[in-house]
Structures are given as structure tokens and as C-alpha cells.
Amino acid sequence: MNKMNKMNKEQKIVICGAGGFIGSALVNTFREKGFTQLVAVDKKPMTRWYQRFPDVENLVLDLEAPDACNRALQGADVCYNLAADMGGMGFIELNKALCMLSVLINTNLLQSCRKFGVGRFFYASSACVYAGYKQLETENPGLKESDAYPADPEDGYGWEKLFSERMCRHFDEDFGVDTRVARFHNVYGPDGTFDGGREKAPAAICRKVIEAKLSGCHEIEIWGDGEQTRSFMYIDDCIEGIGRFMDGDVADAMNLGSDEMVTINQLVDMVEEIAGLKLKRNYKLDAPKGVRGRSSDNTMIKEKLGWAPSITLKEGLEKTYAWIYDQMTAHGSSKDAVVNIS
Ligand code: NAD
Ligand code: GDD
């Protein structure tokens, strides 16, 4: 398991957004593989980092500011940008300006990479770059990389991602900053957000099913009619994929997502089965819904990297459900982050 084999363990690796879900999992993977010069950077106070590790250098910096990017990247060999103001549909549909402001993070990080000669830069883009007109039907055949153009991305968040992808491309072509860009499709797993407004469907549905189980009120609210489709990538596949992107030589933006497409109703079926109960479904049709149908076409990643995410939704949901259940019963439900200091 896990690539990153080609990297030198003494290299200085800076992980931005390291207090968040994916960033903290990435820091932990590097630690476990014996990397010794890790710098974890996030804007949030450290008490709110999802996972925090005393054996790495932890910095609280707002990376929208150029000085903060310079401070983080001075002497760095590699940079991973996982910092963004983001969340599920409930957040991105109502906070478009905040999402757009993340353009400052990526732009200033690239400037610092150029200034300090950082060897390689990873950017976490999103399936939200794909054109809305390709996602009007539930029966989505899988989005190919070329489906991002002619551009019609998700308003706000998707435009920021598409612009930042291009910024990476042009810094690579014009200034020699070696960039890798992954278009993540909906990522879930333990140590992720499950309440507070930024949670995505897998964690939200797990939380709601657990609430129903614990309260004895066997009903669930589902946003939309439940027939919209998505694919969901388990965190371990995401981390593995990031390693393979960085080891590989593909500078073009490429999908990193599961191609196991389900309806939201099927997602609820699976979580109900794990919980061992059936709920009355109440559909909230005016809730944020996003696109009608989305999945990942993995032809390119298989061709270029010889690999694609493969952890099944059932397997990933079992682990995610168990972790959220533990959080909700042992510590109570958090409003924002779960701090897990090791
Ligand atoms: P997350 O919200 O858990 O983590 C992002 C982190 O970035 C947060 O801890 C936040 O405090 C930090 N941050 C925000 N603004 C910052 C700033 N100005 N300076 C420093 N830190 C800042 O999100 P995540 O799920 O870990 O996502 C990581 C990256 O992957 C993001 O770029 C996101 O857009 C992208 N992505 C995630 C998904 C997904 O399903 N999780 C899907 C597509 C793309
Ligand atoms: N969040 C959430 N909560 N979504 C729900 C719920 C609920 O309780 N019930 C049903 N849904 C539906 C949403 O209406 C949407 O149609 C679908 O589940 C998926 O919602 P999200 O998981 O919130 O987001 P998304 O898949 O539309 O977009 C996410 O993935 C992108 C990458 O694929 C977002 O996290 C984006 O930020 C991300 O880039």
C-alpha cells in the first residue's frame, strides 16, 4: 500500500490544509512511512485540527497572504495544496465568495514555489470543474477530463478550481514549477466532517441514520428526491492516488475518483443496512442539490498511472459509519472538527 516510494524521506514536505480531512490523513501517511521533515500548515487554531501530530512542524498560517506562503515554503522541496474554504453542497451553494477567495491560496503558494524553486507542487482540484451541461441526467456515463470544456463549472467553488488548475498549468509551462493536479470526486472516511454544515452526503447520511437509531425516531431527511447520482472515494484511495500522481509524470489535470456510481437513495440503503434499521424517508426538494448525475471516468488514470481507486462504497461506509458512531456516542456530536491528537 501507498506510493510515495520515489520520494526521498529527508525532503522537506509542506502540506497545506493539514488541519483538514484529507491534509491530516496525508501528514499521517508520510509520518508512518518515515518521512522526517514534515511541515503541516493550516489557518484554523490547532485545537480544531482534525488530527495533529507533535512529531511534525505545525504552523498556523492564513495562506491567503503572500508572506504566509513564503514563510511556509522557504526551503521546501515539495508542496501539497489541500487548503481551501470548502464543504458539501450545503456549504458551497451558499458561500460562493468564500469559495472563490481560495484562489488567493493557490496563487500565492505557486508564487512562493517559483521564488524558492520548490521541486513539485500538488493541487487538489475537484469534479466541480466539470461542465453542468454534462451532468443533467442521473445516468451519467462518467466524466472524462475533456468534459471540463467548454467551461460551465459549479458556480463559485468550481470556477475557483478551474481557474486554479489553469494557474498551475501556466506556472508549469511558463515558470517551470512542476505541478500535478487531481480532480477529486467526493471523498469520505473517518476523521472527516460529519456535522456543522460542511459535511458531504456520505457522512451526513451516516450521522442522520445514527441520530435516528439513537433517538428511536425512525425518519430521515434527504436533500432532493434521492435519485441524483454520485460516486464516492474512500480516503485511503485518495491518499494512495495523491502519491501516484506525485510519482507520475502527468502534468495535465486528471480524475481521482471512484467510478462506482450510486443514487443517494442507494447510499441511504447501504447505511441503513449497516445500522440494521429502515427509516421513513422525507425528501427536502428545496435543499441544495448540485448536479443531477456525476461519476468518474477512470480511463485516463488507468492508462497513465496503471491504477484507479477500488475500495468499494460498502467497505468504506462500514468504516466511516463505525467512526461517526463512536464520535457521536463517546464524545457527543461536534459542531466543526474532531480533534484527535496523537
Ligand atoms: P477540509 O475543509 O477538511 O480541509 C481544508 C483545510 O484548509 C481546512 O482545515 C481549512 O482550515 C484549511 N484552510 C482554508 N483556508 C485556509 C487558508 N487561507 N490558509 C490555510 N489553511 C486554510 O477539506 P478536505 O476535504 O480535506 O479537502 C482538501 C482539498 O481537497 C480542498 O482543496 C478541497 O477543495 C479538495 N476537494 C475535496 C473533496 C472532498 O470530497 N473532500 C472533493 C473535491 C476536492
Ligand atoms: N451534504 C448533504 N447532506 N447532501 C445530501 C444530503 C445531506 O443530508 N441528503 C442528500 N444529499 C445530496 C445533495 O443534495 C447532493 O445532491 C448529493 O447528496 C451530494 O451532496 P454532497 O456530498 O454535499 O456534494 P456533491 O457531491 O454535490 O459535491 C461534493 O463533491 C465535490 C467533488 O465531487 C462537494 O463536496 C464539493 O465541494 C466537491 O468538490
Side-chain angles (χ1 to χ4, degrees):
M1 167 79 178
N2 215 283
K3 281 288 210 167
M4 301 163 179
N5 296 332
K6 289 188 191 166
M7 294 177 70
N8 172 351
K9 295 200 169 132
E10 314 299 315
Q11 280 180 320
K12 182 168 174 180
I13 297 169
V14 179
I15 297 162
C16 305
F21 169 43
I22 302 171
S24 65
L26 188 63
V27 174
N28 198 22
T29 302
F30 277 121
R31 286 175 68 242
E32 287 175 347
K33 292 191 78 66
F35 285 79
T36 54
Q37 280 209 73
L38 299 175
V39 182
V41 188
D42 204 286
K43 178 171 79 166
K44 290 186 297 209
M46 271 185 220
T47 48
R48 288 176 49 216
W49 289 25
Y50 286 32
Q51 301 183 82
R52 177 159 52 98
F53 306 101
D55 53 349
V56 312
E57 188 183 350
N58 294 306
L59 299 176
V60 175
L61 294 172
D62 182 344
L63 295 167
E64 286 183 15
D67 287 353
C69 293
N70 285 338
R71 162 110 198 269
L73 291 188
Q74 190 158 20
D77 296 299
V78 184
C79 174
Y80 292 81
N81 178 17
L82 295 138
D85 213 344
M86 70 87 67
M89 276 320 300
F91 180 78
I92 63 175
E93 199 162 296
L94 302 172
N95 294 280
K96 294 181 181 133
L98 283 180
C99 291
M100 294 288 286
L101 279 171
S102 297
V103 77
L104 296 173
I105 303 173
N106 198 61
T107 306
N108 288 319
L109 283 174
L110 282 169
Q111 290 274 50
S112 300
C113 283
R114 182 184 177 204
K115 179 176 171 136
F116 298 121
V118 174
R120 193 161 278 191
F121 179 83
F122 177 87
Y123 177 60
S125 184
S126 165
C128 286
V129 300
Y130 285 116
Y133 57 79
K134 292 273 182 183
Q135 304 173 82
L136 297 172
E137 308 294 334
T138 56
E139 288 302 318
N140 193 301
L143 293 156
K144 297 188 293 297
E145 283 71 5
S146 55
D147 290 334
Y149 295 98
D152 177 26
E154 178 80 33
D155 197 9
Y157 177 75
W159 275 109
E160 189 278 319
K161 291 290 183 192
L162 196 63
F163 177 89
S164 291
E165 280 190 1
R166 290 193 84 87
M167 193 71 108
C168 288
R169 173 173 158 183
H170 297 309
F171 266 65
D172 194 316
E173 289 171 355
D174 295 358
F175 301 142
V177 178
D178 196 12
T179 61
R180 299 287 178 271
V181 177
R183 291 176 179 161
F184 293 170
H185 290 246
N186 206 318
V187 189
Y188 72 101
D191 289 304
T193 310
F194 62 90
D195 69 359
R198 290 181 189 249
E199 65 278 12
K200 283 155 251 129
I205 299 300
C206 286
R207 187 200 75 230
K208 289 178 180 181
V209 170
I210 294 165
E211 281 168 353
K213 190 178 171 95
L214 295 176
S215 70
C217 174
H218 287 182
E219 297 193 14
I220 185 168
E221 181 186 274
I222 297 168
W223 295 357
D225 64 3
E227 291 307 308
Q228 66 271 46
T229 52
R230 293 290 186 278
S231 68
F232 301 103
M233 171 167 60
Y234 189 62
I235 182 71
D236 290 1
D237 268 337
C238 180
I239 299 298
E240 174 74 20
I242 292 171
R244 289 176 183 264
F245 270 65
M246 287 298 260
D247 272 359
D249 57 4
V250 184
D252 292 334
M254 189 161 65
N255 280 331
L256 180 52
S258 166
D259 58 5
E260 181 188 349
M261 189 175 79
V262 293
T263 66
I264 297 302
N265 280 326
Q266 287 169 329
L267 174 71
V268 179
D269 292 342
M270 285 187 186
V271 180
E272 284 179 337
E273 196 180 324
I274 293 165
L277 80 173
K278 274 278 170 202
L279 303 173
K280 177 176 177 291
R281 298 179 186 190
N282 303 317
Y283 293 99
K284 188 167 165 49
L285 299 178
D286 61 353
K289 294 179 284 293
V291 297
R292 187 68 176 148
R294 170 180 292 163
S295 183
S296 179
D297 180 313
N298 287 344
T299 308
M300 186 183 283
I301 188 172
K302 285 180 187 160
E303 192 182 300
K304 304 272 187 190
L305 301 183
W307 174 90
S310 62
I311 297 169
T312 64
L313 184 55
K314 184 171 184 303
E315 188 187 339
L317 276 179
E318 277 166 1
K319 292 179 183 162
T320 307
Y321 179 93
W323 180 81
I324 295 176
Y325 189 91
D326 282 352
Q327 300 306 309
M328 290 175 67
T329 50
H331 309 297
S333 176
S334 83
K335 266 278 156 275
D336 185 3
V338 176
V339 182
N340 179 4
I341 303 173
S342 43

